[in-house]
Every structure is written in structure tokens, then in C-alpha cells.
Amino acid sequence: MAKILACHLHDYIEVMCLYQYTVLITLNNGKHITAKFDSTGFIGQSTAKQEVIYGKDINGADLTLILTDIKTVTVLTKNAQFNIVHF
């Protein structure tokens, strides 16, 4: 069974997508990605579905990130409703 993201963390993902904040995401593997995200969804088969976020990196390339791969989200947009979230 796939890992499930804690419910309270979904609120941060929703706000991040709603306001399309520019964010620096650190993945569990140490990779850093600067991007804007605009929606969530699911990928995979019914027994192995994983929740993802969709957006574009700073070069405009499409991105799909699995939520449970995220270690931290740091918001780069000024006056955002939050600054950093540890997953």
C-alpha cells in the first residue's frame, strides 16, 4: 500500500496551489525544485494510487510530483500565508 500524506499537510498543498506560490521543494532524495503548482491529482492503478501535484518549474517545464516524496516546501512568494512546511 502507498504511503498516505497526513491530513493537515493537505491544507498547505491546497493553499500553495490556490495562490500559485513560487516554492522551493526539497524532496526526500535531496533534490531541490523551484516551481509553481496549480492542482492535485492521482497517478497509478487503483491498488497503488499516489497523490500528486501538477505545475511548472521555473523554466516552464511541466512537473508532476508525488506528495509523499516531498520533504519540505519553502514558499518564496512574499506575503504568503506560510513560509516553510516540513513533511
Side-chain angles (χ1 to χ4, degrees), residues 12-20 37-40 53-54:
Y12 293 104
I13 296 296
E14 290 173 11
V15 169
M16 181 180 81
C17 290
L18 176 66
Y19 293 108
Q20 295 187 19
F37 295 91
D38 57 15
S39 62
T40 62
I53 50 175
Y54 299 105

Side-chain angles (χ1 to χ4, degrees), residues 5 8-9 12 70-74 82-87:
L5 188 67
H8 72 280
L9 295 173
Y12 293 104
I70 297 172
K71 182 176 181 178
T72 60
V73 173
T74 304
F82 64 97
N83 294 319
I84 189 166
V85 178
H86 301 277
F87 283 66

Side-chain angles (χ1 to χ4, degrees), residues 2-42:
K3 286 178 23 179
I4 297 173
L5 188 67
C7 289
H8 72 280
L9 295 173
H10 280 97
D11 292 338
Y12 293 104
I13 296 296
E14 290 173 11
V15 169
M16 181 180 81
C17 290
L18 176 66
Y19 293 108
Q20 295 187 19
Y21 292 151
T22 299
V23 295
L24 172 64
I25 292 188
T26 303
L27 300 177
N28 291 324
N29 67 7
K31 184 176 178 181
H32 298 280
I33 300 168
T34 302
K36 287 184 180 183
F37 295 91
D38 57 15
S39 62
T40 62
F42 291 92

